[in-house]
Amino acid sequence: MIEYRADGASGTLSTVAERVLWLSTSMIHHANRIRPNPSGLKVGGHQASCASMVSIMTSLWFEQLQPGDRVSVKPHASPVLHSINYLLGQLDESYLTTLREFGGLQSYPSRAKDPDPVDYSTGSVGIGATAPIWGAMARRYVHTISGAAGKGRQYSLVGDAELDEGAIWEAILDPGISDLGEVVWIVDLNRQSLDRVIPNIAAGRLEKMFDAAGWQVITVKFGTLLEELFTRPGGSALRTRILDMPNPEYQRLLRCTADQLRERLPGEGAERGALGELISQLDDETLLSAIRNLGGHDLAALSAAYRQIDDSRPTVIIAYTIKGYGLPTQGHPQNHSSLLTVEEYATFAAALGMDSQNPWGRFPDGSAASELCASTAAKLQREPIDGVAPPAVPADIGRTPKGTATTQAALGRVLLDLTREAPEAARRVVTVSPDVSSTTNLGGWVNKVGVWSATERRNWFADDAETIMHWREKPTGQHMELGIAETNLVGLIGELGATWSRWGQPLYPIGVMYDPFVERALEPWSYGIYAGGQSILVGTPSGVTLAAEGGAHQSITTPSIGLEQPGCISYEPAFAIDTEWTLLASIARLGRPDGTSAYLRLSTRPVDQGLADVPTDPAARERRRRQVVAGAYVVRRTDDAVVTLVGMGAMMTETLVAADRLDQVGVPADVVCVTSPGLLFEAIQARQGRGSGETWILDQVFPAARATPLVTVLDGHPHTLAFLSGINRVASVALGVTHFGQVGALEDVYKYHGIDTDSIVRAALDVIA
């Protein structure tokens, strides 16, 4: 039997831990060894990674958790979570045979796709670990609005190799995190990665790094058996030997027999004799148990650690563990993805007194373990959430921008307009930026709504007449500013965007960053969308239109990223009115079961707003608005047009000038402005029977009766719009940016990339030749 070193009443907890180990191992075994697999492709699973977490998670769930707590489980321990949920009556037995099967239990915990309770989706290394930090901020923010989010700790169960991710330290070091006392991380320090035993785990350095960031550090290194042995004669020598030996040597000892241990453990030091005398007094079973008796597998040691948590600041518990603890593969350097053989599984079943042919049995009714499961389930029962319907968002503020303006500046103006036109909706808007609030035109909004902070802080510049931007920090502020770390930003807006499903309170999170850095943030933002977080990401300024900043700050592929990102509608507005309509429509899609995220790509280029030619008739204006939101609209129709110029975003000025010049040489051209390539592509797919999107926008903007050759142009990669020629199967030329930019004047940079007016005119003449 596996020994979890629990005494007295905790013996029941040890019984539960053994069953969790058995169930998690069996789920993976069934998926790989029992379930038919006609393709022969690897199913996979991580029995060893699960085993190292069993004690930690059993102690946490069955002793510590409260209904308001939330837990992010490290990806490879998902079967442990499902095993616990099964014992708590929250997962039907039929799912235990479906791990990594279509429609079954997911490879990694998923809020959206798993059938049992999952607090945080994990799977991409580092993202799930930091999610509870942003979840804590989101809960506090919701609480200021409704008072309905309650209280509770936000736990992260983190693998030690995950700490190699730089995004984790970006989050830990953010200055605003030190106020979040409900955040608790538990690091599974098993000192192995996928391929090897880590030669230098540097645990002391990790402790210092967390401490320097203001976290409470609790280290659970040894279990009760070892701690007792340390008090005996020769015990200090044993402790010193274990602490001083290289990690690979310790891991090798885990694979030794008792006789081999008696030979190897004393080492070559001066206290070899005292250490040898101590272990000579131990029987083989005790000796083998002692070398494995680390704190992360000792239920009493873990309970003691949990009791030390100081809720006034974030806490990290560093728990020393053994990868594969309790399994035949424990401590093996390549056990990360290894699976028990059929023979090993049968032996394992016999050691635990389980039936390998009927692995899913629950505890007998009336047994202490059964009663513990029932009482824990009752204690952790959460009250049903009554969701609040998102407040109405206006579709049109009603103003028509005049003069010269940028789409970036329009962002701030729309948010301020919303506070006047729809204050209830505006109260649920929360903006997030990485130290670029003023340079992305959010200054007026920030002055209006204030900056969120866990506690109110004095604004020492409030009486400075020359200070234009007022940094008023308070718990009711609606702008959150993080350090310059894009992954933090999108992690936060993802959790802010999940409050509708977690606490029944919808928010409208809008994250703003420089567009060239969207690619840096894409993976965690995409994962946040996968996990059910609905948010708006604004990339600004964008493209080679940011000419003076040079190639390092000019985005090329972001338009196609918006086109291809699942669960997201992308927009690149050309005019201020387009920005207003698309932003309002994007906000209105947030915070609901059928909601979607959005990506807006904005520009700092001043544009004559008269070029938008917004209809003055109310019905025509509304028709234009619907077209803008649906993906495209006609800016100019010409009698007997022989070519159609299709522009997007900042390139509409050159597109319209090119149309004028073509008309002067007797080549009449229609002009179309695309606002969302993604929505147009979905319309084409729907027309072909491959989707459920609406196709009316194609009929209105690209009617077959007016089909002509196309020239498409955008400040981004040309393939983003190249598919449009397939609507009516016409010849086309796609202009755009295909190589890194250059610093210079706007006209020079456009000419360099072939997206200037001359290039558009030449392309039009070529395509109709």
Side-chain angles (χ1 to χ4, degrees), residues 7 168 209 335 382 409 415 574 711:
D7 300 314
I168 282 183
M209 290 169 71
N335 67 6
R382 294 170 180 168
L415 293 177
V711 175

Side-chain angles (χ1 to χ4, degrees), residues 341-393:
T341 65
V342 174
E343 294 75 17
E344 287 174 331
Y345 181 72
T347 303
F348 179 60
L352 294 179
M354 300 301 298
D355 181 359
S356 61
Q357 302 302 311
N358 182 27
W360 315 122
R362 296 181 185 273
F363 295 113
D365 291 341
S367 66
S370 175
E371 291 179 358
L372 176 60
C373 291
S375 62
T376 301
K379 181 187 72 172
L380 296 180
Q381 186 67 39
R382 294 170 180 168
E383 294 296 324
I385 295 175
D386 295 324
V388 174
V393 177

Side-chain angles (χ1 to χ4, degrees), residues 429-443:
V429 171
V430 52
T431 55
V432 185
S433 70
D435 196 29
V436 292
S437 302
S438 58
T439 56
T440 53
N441 290 95
L442 287 179

Side-chain angles (χ1 to χ4, degrees), residues 634-651:
V634 177
V635 181
R636 185 181 302 176
R637 286 286 194 218
T638 305
D639 293 338
D640 302 320
V642 297
V643 67
T644 300
L645 307 183
V646 181
M648 189 166 81
M651 301 312 305

Side-chain angles (χ1 to χ4, degrees), residues 657-668:
V657 172
D660 291 337
R661 287 175 51 182
L662 286 168
D663 185 64
Q664 292 170 10
V665 297
V667 180

Side-chain angles (χ1 to χ4, degrees), residues 521-734:
L522 182 62
E523 192 226 352
W525 186 53
S526 177
Y527 205 88
I529 295 174
Y530 167 82
Q534 299 168 10
S535 61
I536 298 172
L537 181 61
V538 178
T540 183
S542 62
V544 299
T545 300
L546 191 60
E549 294 292 331
H553 282 72
Q554 295 171 353
S555 51
I556 297 171
T557 62
T558 48
S560 55
I561 285 174
L563 168 67
E564 297 161 6
Q565 173 60 47
C568 168
I569 296 175
S570 64
Y571 289 111
E572 184 163 347
F575 303 102
I577 192 67
D578 299 350
T579 305
E580 175 189 312
W581 288 339
T582 56
L583 179 61
L584 293 176
S586 298
I587 293 173
R589 296 188 187 104
L590 301 177
R592 56 185 73 243
D594 60 345
T596 59
S597 294
Y599 162 51
L600 271 65
R601 189 175 188 252
L602 306 184
S603 172
T604 51
R605 182 184 184 183
V607 174
D608 178 6
Q609 298 302 300
L611 296 176
D613 195 21
V614 180
T616 56
D617 179 80
R621 179 187 175 97
E622 174 60 14
R623 180 175 184 268
R624 165 71 70 85
R625 186 199 67 81
R626 292 181 181 181
Q627 290 177 338
V628 167
V629 172
Y633 60 96
V634 177
V635 181
R636 185 181 302 176
R637 286 286 194 218
T638 305
D639 293 338
D640 302 320
V642 297
V643 67
T644 300
L645 307 183
V646 181
M648 189 166 81
M651 301 312 305
M652 282 309 300
T653 298
E654 280 68 28
T655 305
L656 288 165
V657 172
D660 291 337
R661 287 175 51 182
L662 286 168
D663 185 64
Q664 292 170 10
V665 297
V667 180
D670 285 346
V671 179
V672 171
C673 178
V674 168
T675 55
S676 177
L679 289 178
L680 296 182
F681 184 76
E682 288 180 10
I684 293 174
Q685 292 288 88
R687 176 179 281 184
Q688 297 172 348
R690 294 181 174 84
S692 57
E694 297 181 348
T695 63
W696 62 266
I697 189 65
L698 303 179
D699 299 326
Q700 291 188 5
V701 179
F702 298 101
R706 294 188 64 90
T708 64
L710 297 181
V711 175
T712 62
V713 58
L714 75 155
D715 185 357
H717 200 283
H719 79 69
T720 308
L721 298 178
F723 71 91
L724 294 177
S725 62
I727 297 174
N728 292 312
R729 299 182 181 179
V730 297
S732 69
V733 174

